[in-house]
Amino acid sequence: PQQPQTQTPPVHDVYSLTRGGTLAQILLDGKTYQLRITRAGKLILTK
């Protein structure tokens, strides 16, 4: 039997997404989410 192929998910550098800043907007099904880098270096995704 054929083994299912495991695909590696895409990798995105957060600083490319934020263009060197701390905030990026992400669209999903017409809704905008904000991805923010905190001062502690954590990521927060909010609607």
Side-chain angles (χ1 to χ4, degrees):
Q2 224 177 3
Q3 295 290 328
Q5 284 186 325
T6 57
Q7 292 184 357
T8 303
V11 175
H12 300 282
D13 181 82
V14 72
Y15 296 107
S16 293
L17 293 175
T18 61
R19 295 185 187 152
T22 58
L23 188 66
Q25 293 185 338
I26 299 172
L27 293 174
L28 174 66
D29 296 331
K31 295 182 180 115
T32 303
Y33 294 81
Q34 291 190 342
L35 179 68
R36 184 169 62 88
I37 306 170
T38 68
R39 288 187 205 145
K42 308 281 184 183
L43 293 175
I44 297 176
L45 182 65
T46 55
K47 199 170 186 183

Short mmCIF file of all heavy atoms in Angstrom, two decimals:
data_model
loop_
_atom_site.label_atom_id
_atom_site.label_comp_id
_atom_site.label_asym_id
_atom_site.label_seq_id
_atom_site.Cartn_x
_atom_site.Cartn_y
_atom_site.Cartn_z
N PRO A 1 0.83 -1.20 0.00
CA PRO A 1 0.00 0.00 0.00
C PRO A 1 0.86 1.26 0.00
O PRO A 1 1.94 1.27 0.56
CB PRO A 1 -0.82 -0.09 1.28
CG PRO A 1 -0.40 -1.35 1.98
CD PRO A 1 0.60 -2.04 1.15
N GLN A 2 0.31 2.28 -0.60
CA GLN A 2 1.03 3.55 -0.70
C GLN A 2 0.96 4.31 0.61
O GLN A 2 -0.09 4.37 1.24
CB GLN A 2 0.40 4.39 -1.81
CG GLN A 2 1.41 5.05 -2.68
CD GLN A 2 0.73 5.82 -3.80
OE1 GLN A 2 -0.48 5.89 -3.88
NE2 GLN A 2 1.52 6.39 -4.67
N GLN A 3 2.09 4.87 1.04
CA GLN A 3 2.14 5.68 2.26
C GLN A 3 1.62 7.09 1.95
O GLN A 3 1.95 7.66 0.91
CB GLN A 3 3.58 5.78 2.77
CG GLN A 3 4.18 4.46 3.20
CD GLN A 3 3.54 3.95 4.48
OE1 GLN A 3 3.14 4.74 5.33
NE2 GLN A 3 3.41 2.66 4.61
N PRO A 4 0.79 7.65 2.85
CA PRO A 4 0.35 9.03 2.62
C PRO A 4 1.53 9.99 2.75
O PRO A 4 2.41 9.78 3.59
CB PRO A 4 -0.69 9.28 3.72
CG PRO A 4 -0.42 8.24 4.75
CD PRO A 4 0.24 7.09 4.05
N GLN A 5 1.55 10.99 1.88
CA GLN A 5 2.63 11.96 1.93
C GLN A 5 2.37 12.96 3.04
O GLN A 5 1.26 13.46 3.19
CB GLN A 5 2.74 12.72 0.61
CG GLN A 5 3.37 11.92 -0.50
CD GLN A 5 3.58 12.77 -1.72
OE1 GLN A 5 2.80 13.65 -2.01
NE2 GLN A 5 4.66 12.52 -2.43
N THR A 6 3.40 13.21 3.84
CA THR A 6 3.28 14.23 4.86
C THR A 6 3.87 15.51 4.29
O THR A 6 4.99 15.51 3.81
CB THR A 6 4.01 13.84 6.15
OG1 THR A 6 5.38 13.58 5.83
CG2 THR A 6 3.39 12.60 6.78
N GLN A 7 3.10 16.56 4.34
CA GLN A 7 3.55 17.83 3.80
C GLN A 7 3.98 18.74 4.94
O GLN A 7 3.30 18.84 5.96
CB GLN A 7 2.45 18.50 2.99
CG GLN A 7 2.13 17.77 1.73
CD GLN A 7 1.11 18.51 0.89
OE1 GLN A 7 0.61 19.55 1.29
NE2 GLN A 7 0.80 17.99 -0.27
N THR A 8 5.09 19.39 4.74
CA THR A 8 5.57 20.35 5.72
C THR A 8 4.78 21.64 5.54
O THR A 8 4.65 22.13 4.42
CB THR A 8 7.07 20.62 5.49
OG1 THR A 8 7.77 19.39 5.57
CG2 THR A 8 7.60 21.58 6.53
N PRO A 9 4.23 22.18 6.63
CA PRO A 9 3.48 23.43 6.48
C PRO A 9 4.41 24.58 6.10
O PRO A 9 5.62 24.53 6.39
CB PRO A 9 2.88 23.66 7.88
CG PRO A 9 3.69 22.83 8.80
CD PRO A 9 4.26 21.70 7.99
N PRO A 10 3.88 25.61 5.45
CA PRO A 10 4.73 26.73 5.05
C PRO A 10 5.29 27.44 6.29
O PRO A 10 4.65 27.48 7.34
CB PRO A 10 3.79 27.65 4.27
CG PRO A 10 2.43 27.20 4.60
CD PRO A 10 2.50 25.78 5.06
N VAL A 11 6.48 27.97 6.15
CA VAL A 11 7.13 28.72 7.22
C VAL A 11 7.20 30.18 6.81
O VAL A 11 7.64 30.51 5.71
CB VAL A 11 8.56 28.18 7.49
CG1 VAL A 11 9.27 29.02 8.53
CG2 VAL A 11 8.49 26.72 7.91
N HIS A 12 6.73 31.07 7.69
CA HIS A 12 6.75 32.51 7.43
C HIS A 12 7.48 33.20 8.57
O HIS A 12 7.15 32.98 9.74
CB HIS A 12 5.33 33.08 7.34
CG HIS A 12 4.52 32.45 6.26
ND1 HIS A 12 4.66 32.79 4.94
CD2 HIS A 12 3.58 31.48 6.30
CE1 HIS A 12 3.82 32.07 4.21
NE2 HIS A 12 3.16 31.26 5.02
N ASP A 13 8.44 34.02 8.25
CA ASP A 13 9.15 34.78 9.27
C ASP A 13 8.25 35.92 9.74
O ASP A 13 7.73 36.69 8.93
CB ASP A 13 10.44 35.35 8.68
CG ASP A 13 11.23 36.13 9.70
OD1 ASP A 13 11.95 35.50 10.48
OD2 ASP A 13 11.09 37.36 9.73
N VAL A 14 8.02 36.00 11.04
CA VAL A 14 7.09 36.99 11.58
C VAL A 14 7.54 38.41 11.27
O VAL A 14 6.72 39.30 11.06
CB VAL A 14 6.85 36.78 13.09
CG1 VAL A 14 8.07 37.17 13.91
CG2 VAL A 14 5.62 37.54 13.56
N TYR A 15 8.84 38.64 11.20
CA TYR A 15 9.32 40.00 10.92
C TYR A 15 9.10 40.36 9.45
O TYR A 15 8.98 41.54 9.13
CB TYR A 15 10.78 40.14 11.33
CG TYR A 15 10.94 39.99 12.83
CD1 TYR A 15 11.51 38.85 13.37
CD2 TYR A 15 10.46 40.96 13.70
CE1 TYR A 15 11.63 38.69 14.74
CE2 TYR A 15 10.57 40.80 15.07
CZ TYR A 15 11.15 39.68 15.59
OH TYR A 15 11.26 39.52 16.94
N SER A 16 8.98 39.37 8.58
CA SER A 16 8.59 39.65 7.20
C SER A 16 7.10 40.00 7.14
O SER A 16 6.70 40.91 6.42
CB SER A 16 8.86 38.45 6.31
OG SER A 16 10.23 38.21 6.19
N LEU A 17 6.29 39.28 7.92
CA LEU A 17 4.85 39.57 7.95
C LEU A 17 4.57 40.96 8.51
O LEU A 17 3.65 41.64 8.07
CB LEU A 17 4.11 38.53 8.79
CG LEU A 17 4.06 37.10 8.26
CD1 LEU A 17 3.41 36.19 9.27
CD2 LEU A 17 3.30 37.06 6.95
N THR A 18 5.35 41.38 9.51
CA THR A 18 5.12 42.67 10.14
C THR A 18 5.96 43.78 9.51
O THR A 18 5.91 44.92 9.97
CB THR A 18 5.44 42.61 11.65
OG1 THR A 18 6.81 42.27 11.81
CG2 THR A 18 4.56 41.61 12.36
N ARG A 19 6.74 43.44 8.49
CA ARG A 19 7.64 44.39 7.83
C ARG A 19 8.55 45.08 8.84
O ARG A 19 8.77 46.29 8.78
CB ARG A 19 6.86 45.42 7.02
CG ARG A 19 6.12 44.82 5.86
CD ARG A 19 5.47 45.89 5.02
NE ARG A 19 4.63 45.28 4.01
CZ ARG A 19 3.57 45.86 3.50
NH1 ARG A 19 3.21 47.05 3.89
NH2 ARG A 19 2.86 45.24 2.58
N GLY A 20 9.05 44.30 9.79
CA GLY A 20 9.97 44.83 10.77
C GLY A 20 9.31 45.49 11.97
O GLY A 20 9.98 45.89 12.91
N GLY A 21 7.99 45.60 11.94
CA GLY A 21 7.26 46.21 13.05
C GLY A 21 6.78 45.16 14.03
O GLY A 21 7.38 44.09 14.16
N THR A 22 5.68 45.46 14.71
CA THR A 22 5.16 44.52 15.70
C THR A 22 3.73 44.08 15.40
O THR A 22 3.14 43.35 16.19
CB THR A 22 5.19 45.14 17.11
OG1 THR A 22 4.41 46.34 17.10
CG2 THR A 22 6.60 45.45 17.55
N LEU A 23 3.17 44.49 14.25
CA LEU A 23 1.77 44.19 13.97
C LEU A 23 1.59 43.79 12.51
O LEU A 23 2.17 44.40 11.61
CB LEU A 23 0.91 45.43 14.27
CG LEU A 23 -0.59 45.28 14.21
CD1 LEU A 23 -1.08 44.33 15.30
CD2 LEU A 23 -1.25 46.63 14.38
N ALA A 24 0.76 42.76 12.29
CA ALA A 24 0.38 42.34 10.94
C ALA A 24 -1.11 42.04 10.94
O ALA A 24 -1.66 41.62 11.95
CB ALA A 24 1.16 41.10 10.51
N GLN A 25 -1.75 42.27 9.81
CA GLN A 25 -3.15 41.92 9.67
C GLN A 25 -3.25 40.69 8.79
O GLN A 25 -2.58 40.58 7.77
CB GLN A 25 -3.93 43.08 9.06
CG GLN A 25 -4.00 44.27 9.99
CD GLN A 25 -4.88 45.37 9.45
OE1 GLN A 25 -5.14 45.46 8.26
NE2 GLN A 25 -5.35 46.21 10.35
N ILE A 26 -4.11 39.76 9.22
CA ILE A 26 -4.28 38.49 8.51
C ILE A 26 -5.76 38.34 8.18
O ILE A 26 -6.61 38.52 9.05
CB ILE A 26 -3.80 37.32 9.40
CG1 ILE A 26 -2.32 37.49 9.71
CG2 ILE A 26 -4.06 35.99 8.71
CD1 ILE A 26 -1.80 36.52 10.73
N LEU A 27 -6.06 38.01 6.92
CA LEU A 27 -7.44 37.84 6.49
C LEU A 27 -7.81 36.37 6.47
O LEU A 27 -7.05 35.54 5.99
CB LEU A 27 -7.64 38.41 5.09
CG LEU A 27 -7.50 39.92 4.95
CD1 LEU A 27 -7.58 40.32 3.48
CD2 LEU A 27 -8.56 40.63 5.76
N LEU A 28 -9.02 36.08 6.98
CA LEU A 28 -9.57 34.73 6.92
C LEU A 28 -11.06 34.84 6.67
O LEU A 28 -11.79 35.40 7.49
CB LEU A 28 -9.31 33.96 8.23
CG LEU A 28 -9.97 32.59 8.32
CD1 LEU A 28 -9.37 31.63 7.29
CD2 LEU A 28 -9.82 32.03 9.71
N ASP A 29 -11.51 34.35 5.53
CA ASP A 29 -12.93 34.37 5.17
C ASP A 29 -13.54 35.76 5.31
O ASP A 29 -14.62 35.94 5.86
CB ASP A 29 -13.71 33.37 6.02
CG ASP A 29 -13.29 31.94 5.78
OD1 ASP A 29 -12.84 31.64 4.64
OD2 ASP A 29 -13.40 31.11 6.70
N GLY A 30 -12.80 36.78 4.87
CA GLY A 30 -13.31 38.15 4.89
C GLY A 30 -13.20 38.83 6.25
O GLY A 30 -13.58 39.99 6.39
N LYS A 31 -12.68 38.13 7.24
CA LYS A 31 -12.50 38.73 8.57
C LYS A 31 -11.02 39.05 8.76
O LYS A 31 -10.15 38.30 8.34
CB LYS A 31 -12.97 37.77 9.67
CG LYS A 31 -14.45 37.50 9.60
CD LYS A 31 -14.89 36.59 10.73
CE LYS A 31 -16.38 36.35 10.61
NZ LYS A 31 -16.71 34.98 10.32
N THR A 32 -10.75 40.17 9.41
CA THR A 32 -9.38 40.61 9.66
C THR A 32 -8.97 40.30 11.08
O THR A 32 -9.69 40.61 12.03
CB THR A 32 -9.25 42.13 9.40
OG1 THR A 32 -9.66 42.41 8.07
CG2 THR A 32 -7.82 42.60 9.58
N TYR A 33 -7.83 39.68 11.21
CA TYR A 33 -7.23 39.37 12.52
C TYR A 33 -5.93 40.14 12.63
O TYR A 33 -5.30 40.44 11.62
CB TYR A 33 -6.96 37.87 12.63
CG TYR A 33 -8.20 37.03 12.64
CD1 TYR A 33 -8.85 36.70 11.46
CD2 TYR A 33 -8.74 36.55 13.83
CE1 TYR A 33 -9.99 35.93 11.45
CE2 TYR A 33 -9.88 35.77 13.84
CZ TYR A 33 -10.50 35.48 12.65
OH TYR A 33 -11.65 34.72 12.65
N GLN A 34 -5.54 40.44 13.86
CA GLN A 34 -4.28 41.12 14.08
C GLN A 34 -3.31 40.19 14.78
O GLN A 34 -3.65 39.58 15.80
CB GLN A 34 -4.47 42.38 14.91
CG GLN A 34 -5.22 43.46 14.14
CD GLN A 34 -5.20 44.79 14.86
OE1 GLN A 34 -4.92 44.87 16.05
NE2 GLN A 34 -5.50 45.83 14.14
N LEU A 35 -2.11 40.10 14.24
CA LEU A 35 -1.03 39.34 14.84
C LEU A 35 -0.05 40.35 15.41
O LEU A 35 0.46 41.21 14.69
CB LEU A 35 -0.33 38.47 13.79
CG LEU A 35 0.84 37.63 14.29
CD1 LEU A 35 0.32 36.53 15.22
CD2 LEU A 35 1.59 37.03 13.13
N ARG A 36 0.18 40.27 16.72
CA ARG A 36 1.02 41.25 17.39
C ARG A 36 2.16 40.56 18.12
O ARG A 36 1.97 39.51 18.72
CB ARG A 36 0.18 42.04 18.39
CG ARG A 36 0.93 43.16 19.08
CD ARG A 36 0.00 44.08 19.85
NE ARG A 36 -0.71 43.43 20.93
CZ ARG A 36 -0.23 43.31 22.17
NH1 ARG A 36 0.94 43.80 22.48
NH2 ARG A 36 -0.95 42.70 23.08
N ILE A 37 3.33 41.17 18.04
CA ILE A 37 4.48 40.70 18.80
C ILE A 37 4.54 41.54 20.07
O ILE A 37 4.58 42.76 20.02
CB ILE A 37 5.80 40.89 18.01
CG1 ILE A 37 5.72 40.22 16.64
CG2 ILE A 37 6.98 40.35 18.80
CD1 ILE A 37 6.89 40.57 15.72
N THR A 38 4.54 40.88 21.23
CA THR A 38 4.58 41.59 22.49
C THR A 38 6.02 42.00 22.83
O THR A 38 6.97 41.54 22.19
CB THR A 38 4.04 40.72 23.65
OG1 THR A 38 4.95 39.64 23.86
CG2 THR A 38 2.66 40.19 23.34
N ARG A 39 6.16 42.83 23.86
CA ARG A 39 7.50 43.23 24.30
C ARG A 39 8.31 42.03 24.79
O ARG A 39 9.53 42.03 24.74
CB ARG A 39 7.40 44.24 25.43
CG ARG A 39 6.93 45.59 24.96
CD ARG A 39 7.01 46.60 26.08
NE ARG A 39 6.04 47.65 25.81
CZ ARG A 39 5.35 48.28 26.72
NH1 ARG A 39 5.49 47.99 27.99
NH2 ARG A 39 4.49 49.22 26.38
N ALA A 40 7.59 41.01 25.28
CA ALA A 40 8.25 39.80 25.78
C ALA A 40 8.61 38.83 24.65
O ALA A 40 9.13 37.75 24.91
CB ALA A 40 7.36 39.10 26.81
N GLY A 41 8.28 39.19 23.41
CA GLY A 41 8.60 38.33 22.27
C GLY A 41 7.62 37.22 22.02
O GLY A 41 7.92 36.25 21.34
N LYS A 42 6.40 37.36 22.55
CA LYS A 42 5.34 36.37 22.33
C LYS A 42 4.44 36.87 21.19
O LYS A 42 4.45 38.05 20.86
CB LYS A 42 4.49 36.20 23.59
CG LYS A 42 5.27 35.91 24.84
CD LYS A 42 5.68 34.49 24.92
CE LYS A 42 6.37 34.26 26.26
NZ LYS A 42 6.87 32.96 26.41
N LEU A 43 3.65 35.95 20.64
CA LEU A 43 2.71 36.32 19.58
C LEU A 43 1.28 36.26 20.12
O LEU A 43 0.91 35.31 20.81
CB LEU A 43 2.82 35.37 18.40
CG LEU A 43 4.12 35.43 17.62
CD1 LEU A 43 4.14 34.35 16.55
CD2 LEU A 43 4.34 36.79 17.01
N ILE A 44 0.49 37.26 19.76
CA ILE A 44 -0.93 37.29 20.13
C ILE A 44 -1.72 37.49 18.84
O ILE A 44 -1.46 38.41 18.07
CB ILE A 44 -1.23 38.44 21.12
CG1 ILE A 44 -0.46 38.22 22.42
CG2 ILE A 44 -2.72 38.53 21.40
CD1 ILE A 44 -0.62 39.34 23.42
N LEU A 45 -2.73 36.64 18.64
CA LEU A 45 -3.63 36.76 17.50
C LEU A 45 -5.00 37.13 18.01
O LEU A 45 -5.57 36.42 18.85
CB LEU A 45 -3.70 35.42 16.73
CG LEU A 45 -4.55 35.39 15.48
CD1 LEU A 45 -3.96 36.31 14.41
CD2 LEU A 45 -4.68 33.98 14.95
N THR A 46 -5.53 38.27 17.55
CA THR A 46 -6.85 38.74 18.00
C THR A 46 -7.71 39.05 16.80
O THR A 46 -7.24 39.31 15.70
CB THR A 46 -6.73 40.00 18.88
OG1 THR A 46 -6.02 41.01 18.17
CG2 THR A 46 -6.03 39.71 20.18
N LYS A 47 -9.02 39.03 17.03
CA LYS A 47 -10.01 39.30 15.99
C LYS A 47 -10.29 40.78 15.95
O LYS A 47 -10.20 41.49 16.92
CB LYS A 47 -11.28 38.54 16.30
CG LYS A 47 -12.20 38.37 15.14
CD LYS A 47 -13.27 37.39 15.54
CE LYS A 47 -14.13 37.07 14.35
NZ LYS A 47 -15.20 36.19 14.70
#
